[in-house]
Amino acid sequence: MSVEKILGDWKKKLFKPVYWLEGEEDYYIDKIMNYAEHQLLSESEAGFNLAVFYGKDAAWSDVVNACMRYPMFAEKQVVLLKEAQQMKDIDKLENYLEHPLASTIFVVSHKEKAVSKATRLGKLVKKNAELFNSEKIKDYKLVEWVTDYVKAQDFSMSQKTITLLADHLGNDLNRIVNELEKITVNLGQRKTITEDDIEKYVGVSKEYNAFELQAAVSKKDLAKAIRIIQYFEGNPKAAPIQLVLPALYGYFSKLYIIFGMTDKSENVVRPFFYNNSFAAKDALVAAKIFGYDGVERALLLLHEYNLRSIGVNDSGTSDASLMKELVVKMIG
């Protein structure tokens, strides 16, 4: 079941007794839970008919007792169980899930991972609950998602600006939305979000960032790569090594995949690079520059230096020194 279907049904006053929200992407789960908490009941109804529990602190018996109550001065009551993955004895909810009360709307957010469908609890969730699985958005859909989100807020961004934001934040939709909200409240009457805005309000330099380092390495431009790393050295928060290495590893992993593809045309490669034509062309050029052996060697080096960055086989080399060593070996 989709977010739109759940919220659409709720707006039409069509309710199921149990909604089970699970998965790795918090954004959609939070969106549904927020609506359930603030929109399903009027303010006067919520005073008597809204109960909110948190898995880490809630006893299963308190949750079930709340679900078993009947609404007061309203047709429905709402019971929310947030962060259910942290709840002890969560399997004790099984009996209620087997026979849920029709006058209760019980909404459960179970983040990070799905409950095993091989268990009795999982089978009851599948049988008696409206199950929503919130999956991480794929990289190739991220530009489109951000474009649509920004457009819905009556703003616009170029693909390059979106890529700059995505390379810094990854596909964490909550973080992206939070940063975009921070930007838009500062734009005044302007409706276009620029790279300068990303630099000013998110703290990502448009010249010295993980994306530009990746571009320099992919072209084997050692001088530029070193300049960028020196900027990182003077501005440690700009691009910590824990952000840079996974970004580079992800990029070279995509180059590695290209070598295994029969069709290496731009249209086929483009989905790996946020559906960005320019990025796809650059990747094909980088694959030729490095060659199969060079890309494989780069991946092995990235794995080695990732381990060294967390102290494995390294006595405390600074992050900047590790990155300099790494790019020299990758490009040399």
Side-chain angles (χ1 to χ4, degrees):
M1 206 174 195
S2 68
V3 176
E4 292 76 16
K5 181 66 168 65
I6 291 173
L7 298 185
D9 283 352
W10 285 357
K11 289 172 184 177
K12 296 174 187 175
K13 303 298 182 184
L14 300 174
F15 304 112
K16 298 294 177 64
V18 182
Y19 295 85
W20 190 278
L21 320 174
E22 64 183 20
E24 296 181 346
E25 179 51 68
D26 293 353
Y27 175 76
Y28 294 112
I29 294 175
D30 291 341
K31 185 174 182 177
I32 295 171
M33 292 296 285
N34 185 66
Y35 190 98
E37 184 170 358
H38 300 288
Q39 302 294 330
L40 289 186
L41 300 172
S42 68
E43 189 173 344
S44 59
E45 290 174 332
F48 294 101
N49 299 289
L50 174 65
V52 181
F53 297 93
Y54 291 85
K56 186 176 180 180
D57 305 313
W60 69 268
S61 55
D62 292 337
V63 176
V64 171
N65 286 337
C67 289
M68 292 298 292
R69 288 198 301 262
Y70 287 93
M72 295 179 62
F73 313 114
E75 293 183 4
K76 299 284 185 179
Q77 70 154 345
V78 176
V79 178
L80 307 181
L81 176 56
K82 300 182 178 183
E83 308 291 347
Q85 74 279 0
Q86 298 179 4
M87 187 179 190
K88 295 179 181 178
D89 298 325
I90 192 172
D91 56 307
K92 297 289 182 63
L93 299 177
E94 291 169 354
N95 289 338
Y96 179 78
L97 291 180
E98 195 164 21
H99 302 287
L101 206 62
S103 58
T104 295
I105 304 168
F106 183 33
V107 189
V108 181
S109 79
H110 191 283
K111 295 180 177 179
E112 298 170 12
K113 61 181 180 179
V115 65
S116 172
K117 300 305 180 289
T119 63
R120 182 167 180 260
L121 176 64
K123 291 174 181 176
L124 285 168
V125 166
K126 187 176 180 180
K127 179 182 177 183
N128 292 343
E130 284 293 348
L131 178 60
F132 171 72
N133 185 27
S134 187
E135 297 180 346
K136 281 287 186 185
I137 190 168
K138 301 292 188 292
D139 283 350
Y140 70 89
K141 291 184 177 180
L142 191 55
V143 169
E144 180 184 357
W145 189 93
V146 175
T147 301
D148 290 344
Y149 176 83
V150 170
K151 185 177 180 181
Q153 312 306 312
D154 201 25
F155 291 88
S156 64
M157 292 173 73
S158 70
Q159 245 189 15
K160 186 177 180 182
T161 307
I162 293 173
T163 302
L164 178 62
L165 185 71
D167 277 344
H168 182 70
L169 300 178
N171 60 351
D172 185 332
L173 299 186
N174 269 334
R175 285 190 68 196
I176 290 173
V177 168
N178 288 339
E179 295 296 345
L180 288 172
E181 287 177 350
K182 186 196 304 181
I183 294 168
T184 54
V185 298
N186 287 285
L187 292 187
Q189 299 300 312
R190 185 155 54 87
K191 293 296 182 179
T192 300
I193 300 170
T194 67
E195 292 176 64
D196 289 332
D197 297 321
I198 301 297
E199 181 169 5
K200 183 176 181 180
Y201 299 112
V202 183
V204 187
S205 169
K206 62 183 179 181
E207 294 182 31
Y208 300 102
N209 55 67
F211 176 73
E212 290 299 329
L213 177 62
Q214 171 191 295
V217 172
S218 70
K219 295 179 176 67
K220 290 198 172 184
D221 187 342
L222 181 59
K224 184 176 180 181
I226 295 299
R227 283 200 306 273
I228 293 171
I229 293 170
Q230 286 173 335
Y231 174 85
F232 294 164
E233 188 173 18
N235 301 271
K237 293 183 180 179
I241 195 168
Q242 291 79 13
L243 181 151
V244 173
L245 294 184
L248 286 173
Y249 192 88
Y251 181 76
F252 277 89
S253 295
K254 292 170 185 176
L255 297 188
Y256 190 75
I257 291 170
I258 290 173
F259 286 103
M261 298 168 67
T262 304
D263 185 350
K264 297 179 177 63
S265 64
E266 178 196 321
N267 286 339
V268 174
V269 171
R270 193 171 60 219
F272 291 106
F273 300 93
Y274 305 118
N275 269 325
N276 186 319
S277 297
F278 296 106
K281 290 176 183 175
D282 287 345
L284 290 170
V285 171
K288 289 180 181 178
I289 291 173
F290 276 83
Y292 178 85
D293 290 340
V295 170
E296 187 175 53
R297 182 168 176 270
L299 288 170
L300 291 171
L301 284 168
L302 283 161
H303 178 65
E304 175 192 342
Y305 277 80
N306 182 56
L307 290 174
R308 286 184 63 184
S309 74
I310 58 174
V312 177
N313 297 324
D314 191 273
S315 58
T317 309
S318 71
D319 289 351
S321 295
L322 285 175
M323 283 195 280
K324 288 174 185 176
E325 283 183 32
L326 171 63
V327 299
V328 168
K329 290 181 180 179
M330 289 175 68
I331 292 174

